[in-house]
Amino acid sequence: MATPKRSAQGSQTDDATQGRTDRVLRWFVPLVIALAAGTGVTCLMLGLSTEAAILRSLTVLVISCPCTLGIAVPLARIAGISLAGKKGIIVREFSSFEQATTLDAIVFDKTGTITHGQWKLLKIIRTGSMTDEDALALAASLEQESEHYIAIELRNRAKQTGLELVDPSNVRISDNGITGYVNNQEVRIGSKDFLKEEISKSFSARGKDALNHHSFTPMST
């Protein structure tokens, strides 16, 4: 988060010449100074005293002072970026933030951008005579000590279903899977590569092709 945070902070101190309002300020400030000076010169030419000419020049300068406009723009930027941050949006460039009102489509580049980051068990695909409840009980029992998102969802679903879990034994954890025994029955859970041999034996070519189009975690018993 260090780089995005620095980018967001940097966007709060963008060059003052950026944006429509900033471009106006570039010309407005010199114009006000020129008008004030012109007012003083004109007053002197009309025969007014130096004090009166300076007073009128300062009056024009104070009335036309762009200070409020110059302060309001940075404050509005900071307020907008702060509000976006509270909504979970990190602003990298303020110019893009300003153009958000013209957007009619948004493309997200990865999973988790607009999701909750919580896995949900949608379906259990069985290849043998084991019931869904038995398969879920075995998987949740083996994953009792795991903090993986899938393991947490398996335990939550087993709890919701009212299944009784048992303590696994001889649990071995690898880079892409877990193996252990539940009620003296070997259970293996992991990626498709981890259970490549079991998947090859259990599914036909058509079945494996269908599985490739879905996100699933294989389990073998």
Side-chain angles (χ1 to χ4, degrees):
M1 291 295 293
T3 300
K5 185 176 181 180
R6 285 196 295 269
S7 298
Q9 291 175 341
S11 64
Q12 298 178 11
T13 57
D14 285 342
D15 190 345
T17 61
Q18 294 181 359
R20 293 187 295 270
T21 305
D22 294 335
R23 287 195 292 271
V24 171
L25 286 174
R26 291 177 60 189
W27 300 102
F28 187 70
V29 173
L31 178 62
V32 169
I33 295 176
L35 287 175
T39 299
V41 172
T42 301
C43 290
L44 291 174
M45 293 177 61
L46 293 176
L48 296 178
S49 64
T50 302
E51 181 180 355
I54 294 176
L55 180 62
R56 283 167 173 75
S57 295
L58 291 176
T59 301
V60 173
L61 187 62
V62 171
I63 293 176
S64 304
C65 178
C67 293
T68 303
L69 185 61
I71 294 174
V73 173
L75 286 179
R77 286 183 170 185
I78 294 174
I81 292 173
S82 176
L83 182 61
K86 292 179 180 179
K87 299 292 184 180
I89 302 173
I90 297 178
V91 180
R92 183 180 178 86
E93 295 184 8
F94 191 80
S95 58
S96 301
F97 189 56
E98 287 181 321
Q99 297 172 7
T101 57
T102 63
L103 298 178
D104 55 13
I106 301 177
V107 178
F108 295 95
D109 66 342
K110 60 182 179 179
T111 302
T113 305
I114 56 176
T115 59
H116 295 291
Q118 297 176 345
W119 288 74
K120 290 294 183 182
L121 177 61
L122 301 179
K123 186 178 182 180
I124 298 177
I125 303 175
R126 295 178 288 106
T127 59
S129 59
M130 184 179 297
T131 65
D132 289 354
E133 289 75 15
D134 290 340
L136 180 58
L138 289 174
S141 295
L142 181 61
E143 297 278 19
Q144 284 190 75
E145 302 299 327
S146 176
E147 295 300 324
H148 193 278
Y149 292 117
I150 296 178
I152 293 174
E153 173 58 16
L154 289 174
R155 294 197 300 269
N156 290 339
R157 183 59 61 89
K159 182 178 180 180
Q160 294 171 6
T161 311
L163 299 177
E164 182 179 354
L165 305 183
V166 299
D167 294 332
S169 60
N170 297 328
V171 178
R172 300 184 304 277
I173 301 176
S174 62
D175 292 337
N176 53 2
I178 181 173
T179 303
Y181 285 84
V182 179
N183 287 334
N184 297 321
Q185 184 175 0
E186 185 182 24
V187 181
R188 304 181 68 203
I189 303 175
S191 66
K192 288 182 284 186
D193 290 336
F194 184 68
L195 295 173
K196 185 177 181 179
E197 182 178 348
E198 287 80 357
I199 294 174
S200 178
K201 292 179 180 179
S202 302
F203 291 93
S204 62
R206 182 178 180 181
K208 287 185 287 186
D209 182 66
L211 290 176
N212 288 333
H213 292 82
H214 298 80
S215 176
F216 75 102
T217 297
M219 182 184 80
S220 171
T221 61

